[in-house]
Amino acid sequence: MLILVGSKVIRVGGSFVKSNGQCNCLVRLFAAQIPSPPVAESQFQNEWDKALPYEKIPGPSRLTLIKDSLPGGKLATLNLGEVLEQYRHQYGNIYKISGGFGTPDTLFVFDPKDFETIYRTEGIWPFRPVLETVEHYRKKVRPDTFYSGGLGVEQGKEWAEFRTTVNPIMMQPKFVKLYIPQIDQFVDEFIIRMRKIRDSNIYELPENFEEEMDRWSLGATCLVALDSRLEIFGELDKNSREYELTAALKRFIYLRSVLDLKPSMWKVFPTADFKEMMRVLDVITDFSFHHVNEAKKRLESKVNTKSEKEQSVFEKLIRINPKTAVIMATDMFTAGVDTTSSAAISVLYNLAKNPDKQEILRNELRKILPEKGSPLTQQNMSNLPYLRASIKESLRVLPVVNGNSRKTGKDLVLKGYRIPKGTLVLLQSLYTQVDEKLYTGGKKFMPERWLKNQESELSKEARKVSPFTFLPFGFGPRMCIGRRLAELEIEVFVSKLVRNFYIEWDQPDLKFKTVGINVPDGKLQFKVKDVEN
Ligand code: HEM
């Protein structure tokens, strides 16, 4: 996922595919899904010649932005999203915040046609800005561990080499599906925990339920990232590695927002926050290292009888190079935990606010889970259209990320302006994906629109809309590498919860805030009442 403040845009997830030295299966995969219209060179040259120069793109300077955001300024009381929206009204569907103080210009685009143009011309090594503190840590502080900066840090050929190595392991549904039994059991454990912590009279979950959700997401990530089942629910021993890791990830999210997403002096001198960030990254890296070393011993002491098909993602990564497993695990922790937790919360919230939709989903689930405790399997999960539609619709109306970013891969013409190759662009899809002109009902949660083989007006309409209006996991070779895993985790989580509980929300509407990704801004006071049978 991605976000910007100051000049920065940050990503948090993404992916691509390739195998065995040839390049990008993923590019081909996507090309197959979304056909690409050919653009003639001469036609482009003609457009370019007629277009207005880049300098004419409207927008405020960075200095004006800073001045207007200071106390008393006209933007002082607005959050980042509101500022961007205000500028959009003022300047239209393309505007530029000029750089300065060593930062580049940032171009904001809001039209799906422009998203498509940018993605289709991004090239085989798409450039997405990275978290600079993490880059510093991996390249300068621990270069011995990070022989590659991994997906979280690298660009260009180095990024492609790493992606090519891990893509066939992380993106193949058949490998990810092997985790269904473990994730299923882990959710069962979480359900026991929910019954224990809810108020026994009114069935309300405690105010800090978001922390419980983060722990669930971390535990589910660990099943895959490190082949480890953490004892993570309940009171943790303050000296335990699990406690340290949980605390470190929480701080990471905060420190990322102050050091990478806002202007900070850490590059001039090591601020206290920066020093803490380095310690936090040590905890995350050392935790991964510890588990890789343990696993290496286990693997060395066993005769290898497992076929490649049976090996876990973690085992496959270790066999390539134990350090590859460490790098990938740290990327999974920093990019996969808060995103998955936030997405799962949004689905629960949307279902709680729409009990009729929740009941349709429960009826679908009853067919494959006759008992509340019935397990999910590869077979019974193969046909759950309403579940998948509900998750997709939730990502549309309450997105985890507001958009994506790229440096343009070649000279382009957007909205009649010349955009030179290498310009930093923010593709702001948060408006297009809820635009009433494109999606009937706008922000209304209507999973039915995503049901395939339906002749309803809603689903016919959704099929006609450009897929570029709504790409929650990004696009192309750099799309989210954790997509398959995130979807599986959320599917299992939502299925088991809805089969076990009536999920209710009787509080004022929950607000979300943007801290790199969108997270709930308030207490998660869901009520969870047991389904009778
Ligand atoms: C609902 C949950 C998630 C959402 C919405 C999400 C979203 C995204 C997005 C939008 C990107 C940028 C893609 C692009 O530039 O085209 C991305 C990249 C990435 N994501 Fe996710 N993500 C999620 C979960 C995960 C999980 C579970 C993992 C780890 C297993 C993960 C790991 C990554 C990594 C490593 C990248 C960078 C990929 C690269 O640059 O090659 N994400 N994600």
Side-chain angles (χ1 to χ4, degrees), residues 3-6 58-71 73-92 94-98 106 108 110 262 402 426 428 430-431 514:
I3 254 312
L4 143 130
V5 177
S61 71
R62 194 165 300 276
L63 201 61
T64 313
L65 172 66
I66 295 172
K67 220 171 68 208
D68 288 349
S69 308
L70 289 174
K74 62 179 180 190
L75 306 174
T77 55
L78 305 182
N79 66 35
L80 177 67
E82 289 164 339
V83 171
L84 299 181
E85 174 66 343
Q86 174 127 337
Y87 284 152
R88 185 185 173 220
H89 281 300
Q90 195 173 339
Y91 299 113
I94 188 162
Y95 64 78
K96 173 178 75 179
I97 297 184
S98 312
T106 312
F108 289 78
F110 296 86
K262 290 185 186 148
N402 290 339
L426 290 199
Q428 297 284 289
L430 75 166
Y431 307 110
T514 306

Side-chain angles (χ1 to χ4, degrees), residues 291-409:
H291 282 271
V292 168
N293 285 335
E294 294 293 303
K296 243 169 66 187
K297 282 187 227 151
R298 277 199 312 271
L299 289 178
E300 280 158 12
S301 67
K302 275 197 292 197
V303 185
N304 178 21
T305 50
K306 279 191 188 169
S307 69
E308 209 213 327
K309 230 172 82 189
E310 294 164 327
Q311 287 166 16
S312 67
V313 164
F314 185 54
E315 253 177 75
K316 288 195 184 79
L317 292 172
I318 289 189
R319 282 172 202 279
I320 295 171
N321 177 348
K323 284 186 180 169
T324 306
V326 173
I327 297 167
M328 204 52 235
T330 53
D331 267 349
M332 288 197 223
F333 286 135
T334 51
V337 175
D338 56 341
T339 42
T340 306
S341 164
S342 165
I345 291 169
S346 303
V347 186
L348 289 192
Y349 178 68
N350 279 313
L351 289 169
K353 293 280 288 179
N354 295 276
D356 51 333
K357 313 284 180 203
Q358 191 184 140
E359 200 46 37
I360 298 174
L361 174 58
R362 191 169 293 109
N363 285 335
E364 176 175 277
L365 291 165
R366 279 196 173 104
K367 291 187 195 137
I368 62 146
L369 300 174
E371 308 291 329
K372 286 193 280 178
S374 304
L376 286 161
T377 62
Q378 284 200 36
Q379 289 70 36
N380 66 17
M381 284 193 81
S382 62
N383 186 22
L384 289 170
Y386 204 81
L387 172 70
R388 294 196 174 108
S390 302
I391 295 170
K392 186 166 181 182
E393 179 70 345
S394 189
L395 285 167
R396 186 185 71 81
V397 298
L398 284 177
V400 174
V401 295
N402 290 339
N404 204 348
S405 74
R406 290 287 186 263
K407 272 191 180 173
T408 47

Side-chain angles (χ1 to χ4, degrees), residues 29-47:
L29 176 75
F30 268 78
Q33 286 177 357
I34 307 177
S36 174
V39 180
E41 235 0 90
S42 58
Q43 185 191 330
F44 173 74
Q45 191 57 50
N46 199 8
E47 270 182 51

Side-chain angles (χ1 to χ4, degrees), residues 22 77 87 132-133 143 221 272 342 344 370 382 394 427 445 465 467:
Q22 302 96 304
T77 55
Y87 284 152
E132 288 180 279
T133 49
T221 303
S342 165
S382 62
S394 189
L427 298 75
F445 179 74
V465 179

Side-chain angles (χ1 to χ4, degrees), residues 1 11-14 128 159 163 336 404 406 474-475 478 480:
M1 100 79 209
R11 51 104 269 160
V12 186
R128 194 187 51 242
W159 165 80
R163 184 86 197 208
N404 204 348
R406 290 287 186 263
F475 178 82
R478 207 143 192 177
C480 179

Side-chain angles (χ1 to χ4, degrees), residues 442-513:
K443 284 190 169 184
K444 233 170 148 226
F445 179 74
M446 299 199 269
E448 288 72 14
R449 74 175 88 241
W450 302 115
L451 295 177
K452 298 201 177 92
N453 310 324
Q454 287 244 338
E455 285 315 303
S456 72
E457 287 310 310
L458 210 54
S459 59
K460 276 194 218 157
E461 172 196 77
R463 283 199 288 271
K464 274 193 233 143
V465 179
S466 158
F468 290 92
T469 51
F470 169 46
L471 293 167
F473 294 96
F475 178 82
R478 207 143 192 177
M479 74 176 291
C480 179
I481 200 162
R483 174 183 189 159
R484 305 270 175 239
L485 177 62
E487 285 174 341
L488 184 77
E489 285 176 5
I490 299 167
E491 280 166 22
V492 175
F493 177 82
V494 174
S495 302
K496 302 289 295 221
L497 257 68
V498 169
R499 182 66 188 84
N500 277 271
F501 298 123
Y502 296 111
I503 301 154
E504 294 175 10
W505 184 269
D506 55 16
Q507 303 290 323
D509 283 354
L510 181 63
K511 295 209 163 38
F512 284 74
K513 61 180 175 196

